[in-house]
Amino acid sequence: MFKINRLRLEIQSTEFPEDNKYGFDIPFKSGLNIIAGHNSKGKSTIGSSIYYALGMEELLGAKNEIALGKALKTEFDIFDSRINSLKSFRILYSKVFVEIENEKGNIVTIRRYINSNQKDQNQNDKNTKKVLVYLSKFEDINKDVESYPLFLRNDNNNSDQYGFYHWLADFIGIQIPQVLNNKMEYSPLYLQTIFASFLIEQTKGWTDFLATIPYFGIPKNREKVIEFILDLNELAVSSKRDKIEKEENLIKTNWGKTISKLEILANEYGGTIKYLPETATAEQDAFKLTTILLNDENDNTEKSIKSLRQTYSETLNHLRNTPIKKVGENKDFIRQKLENLYEEQSSFMIKFEEFDLQLNLQKNQLENISKHYQNITKELSSQKGIQNIIEESILISNVYDKCPTCTQTVSDDLLLAEGITIEKLSLSQNIAYLSGQHKIIKRSIETLKNVIDEKKIIRKYYIKKQRELEEEIKLILQELITDDRDYSDVDTLHRVRLEKKLSDFTTIDEMFNSYITILKLISVEYSVLLQEKLLLEDSSVEDNLKLTSLEKVFKTDFLFPFKYSSNKNYNVYIQKNHPFKYFPVFKYNEFDELPQSIKTNSSASDFVRTIWAYSLSLLTRGKNHPGILILDEPGQHSVSSESLQALFEKCSAIKNRQTIIFTSIQKVLIKDGDKEIDALDLDSLLVNLVNDDYNLYKLPEIGKSIQLLPS
């Protein structure tokens, strides 16, 4: 575990003497720390400085100094009493120091440049991808203090001895586990993913559990973070479980592909596969009855290849041993044959035309869906672009609800300003909706393409059959006008066709048996895999006890004391299995197998309370928790002042951990039209606490968080 002792920002302006440094210098203690101030006074500047100093600016949505506002990089505002207004000054350089202490009492100070005024050939700052670690308190730093540089944003900086994240994890006292990524390779459970569980920023942090967690190609990364923090046994076997799951998916994929090849083989020759297991199985006896049936043209019934081969061989031998008839001798047979062929052709062409009509309809459907997919792709790209612009403007300007010209508060909802309430989607909700549609349509396109491809193969069979009928009819028509003394070609054609079919039977039989052999081999692999699955260490008993303990603390100590009211106590659980594994869910009872998202079953304010409760539960119960929790503006979505008061009091009672809360001093929380129902007043929230219960840092009433630092 670790805690922050001190945060110091130093800015040198181009317009002031070198001795005049600006910034802030904030002390922190164990237990509850409060950074309080009016809106637009610089709370976000302080919060982002902590993230940046710890190398966690990626959780703000960008890498390096790009994630920070202009007040830390390019220009800052100072109140000028002569003009009674804020005045902007350019930044020559800026750097942030954070003093941290671990469980052993070791204290170090991390220094990281925000703007070093040194650019490389690509105009990127040379010094923001590294930190300098002093082995002392900030106040003791001098030229004789030991220090060494560490690197961020480089390859292997979570594992290399010169990597900052590797060093920070070692200093905190946690061993980052190795987990399987989506390439089936081992990689560290990056420190940034772990920090996403306790650094909750204002913009996205209240939208979901671990809302800002970076992906890094790690599947089920949220689950793995919780497994690590709670020290669950599942983490030790999860990599093996993930590997088995990947192999199982691969087996099922190969199984499906082989099944498709068998179906294509059957379709190509107008046959069907019988008694074939549709899903992967480990039973070797599952293929005993599997066979391919083909159409017997003599009686239009489906028969096995063995049966057809015997019948056709007998017919062919008979033809070979029978003298070739002359046209006159064969005329009655030819006329009857022609009549039968016309009937067969008529029936066949009706089926062929129906088949072609359906195929063309599906092709048109694919074309229309593809156009819709392109439109959604374009719209999704546009929406994400807008989101990036908005987020960038928030990061740069720190202004979200103010006019950039006159700084008056403005609403981003013109309809609401006119008293019109229409349900609408936010930009994030639009993107989520479009992304869902994008995935659904993409799957539909893939499915439709597969169907069309299969039908194209079947169409080849239809065309082949059509040509055979046309050739045979043409030959018979020619024989009907041929001299009766000439030899008949009908029996000769029949014999050639039989020879071709017998050859096809051999080909089909060989291909069918080869695919069945492949399925049997896959079945053996699946059997071995299932045995490995059974041999995995059964860690569920001990883990379930830990999760039960977490659930009790979550509900009893935090959630319901925070005035959560959307559901009853007996409807809220910590889920132990998929879906929503390890996270709070709504269930009708403990044994309900269909848990529902707690987010969709709670009001917006209650979901914020849920995040408070869950984060504090991890903080107090997590054996591997780094020991710190930062909550940026927890009074979101009309949370009541009563709930906020409970939050402050609960945090103050946790003395052996550190919580840092960024909050407004005064703010309207709940309104009914123009009438204020509830308001945040910091003094009222702290009325039951004594000074030793918390450490309060108030931002200045005049100016912003950045001030002239004492010499």
Side-chain angles (χ1 to χ4, degrees), residues 50 80 101 320 353 464 600 692:
I50 294 176
D80 191 333
E101 181 177 351
R320 284 172 176 168
E353 287 170 3
K464 178 184 174 185
T600 56
D692 289 344

Side-chain angles (χ1 to χ4, degrees), residues 58-59 190 192-194 196 210-218 221:
E58 199 165 353
L59 305 186
Y190 295 91
Q192 298 96 308
T193 64
I194 297 170
L210 283 68
T212 59
I213 189 169
Y215 178 50
F216 292 128
I218 299 173
N221 53 0

Side-chain angles (χ1 to χ4, degrees), residues 404-422:
T405 304
C406 65
T407 70
Q408 290 190 35
T409 302
V410 295
S411 172
D412 63 350
D413 191 341
L414 298 179
L415 291 177
L416 186 60
E418 295 295 325
I420 302 171
T421 56
I422 299 176

